[in-house]
């Protein structure tokens, strides 16, 4: 009879909870930084250019944030997995992020007629930079 993955890896639920706490903290920090950047850029573009530029900045920022949130929700599941299953989960998460980003941009262009391209893409890129800054800080 095959042993469960918990027994074969030597981890129990208490050990998993201890290792998940820093991950949860990092995820929260990333989203706080991303949200701060999106708000800052949306206010800046909204006040200095136009309301459409501010809205475009918000849409660009959330096009970066929402896929990252989906990825985080996928990888933070507290289940003990083998190395292969963990890699498969991360690869699926990356594909999910790409798909959600693509769909988000499609929806923005299909549903919002007054898109300002510079605020949309600049805030999208800066929200992704916020993600990497937290990871490497």
């Amino acid at each position: 009879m095959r042993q469960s993955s918990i027994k074969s890896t030597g981890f129990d639920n208490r050990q998993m909870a201890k290792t998940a706490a820093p991950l949860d903290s990092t995820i929260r920090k990333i989203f706080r930084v991303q949200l701060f950047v999106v708000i800052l850029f949306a206010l800046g573009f909204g006040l200095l250019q136009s309301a459409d530029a501010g809205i475009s900045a918000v849409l660009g920022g959330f096009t970066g944030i929402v896929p990252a949130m989906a990825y985080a929700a996928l990888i933070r599941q507290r289940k003990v997995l083998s190395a292969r299953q963990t890699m498969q989960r991360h690869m699926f998460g990356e594909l999910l992020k790409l798909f959600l980003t693509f769909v988000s941009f499609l929806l923005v262009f299909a549903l919002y007629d007054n898109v300002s391209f510079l605020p949309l893409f600049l805030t999208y890129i800066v929200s992704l930079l916020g993600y990497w800054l937290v990871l490497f800080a």
Side-chain angles (χ1 to χ4, degrees):
M1 183 173 187
R2 187 172 172 211
Q3 292 181 336
S4 73
S5 62
I6 292 175
K7 289 180 183 175
S8 65
T9 61
F11 282 106
D12 64 14
N13 289 335
R14 289 178 306 226
Q15 289 170 317
M16 284 304 297
K18 287 179 187 176
T19 59
L23 177 65
D24 288 345
S25 173
T26 302
I27 290 171
R28 281 193 300 275
K29 190 184 298 182
I30 289 169
F31 292 126
R32 280 195 306 264
V33 167
Q34 286 181 315
L35 193 57
F36 174 76
V37 167
V38 169
I39 291 169
L40 184 69
F41 272 67
L43 286 173
F45 279 116
L47 293 172
L48 298 175
Q49 286 190 359
S50 67
D52 287 328
I55 292 168
S56 295
V58 169
L59 294 172
F62 282 109
T63 298
I65 291 173
V66 171
M69 289 176 73
Y71 178 80
L74 183 69
I75 65 164
R76 70 177 291 277
Q77 293 177 357
R78 307 242 191 269
K79 190 174 169 185
V80 177
L81 301 173
S82 68
R84 180 185 178 110
Q85 290 170 323
T86 300
M87 181 58 95
Q88 288 173 338
R89 179 171 285 171
H90 283 283
M91 291 178 74
F92 177 75
E94 286 298 329
L95 286 173
L96 179 65
K97 275 177 36 179
L98 286 172
F99 175 75
L100 291 175
T101 300
F102 178 73
V103 168
S104 296
F105 277 122
L106 280 179
L107 289 172
V108 167
F109 292 124
L111 300 176
Y112 189 57
D113 293 330
N114 299 325
V115 173
S116 296
F117 292 99
L118 179 66
L120 177 79
F121 288 112
L122 189 61
T123 308
Y124 168 73
I125 290 168
V126 172
S127 75
L128 296 182
L129 288 176
Y131 176 85
W132 288 104
L133 287 174
V134 170
L135 290 178
F136 289 115

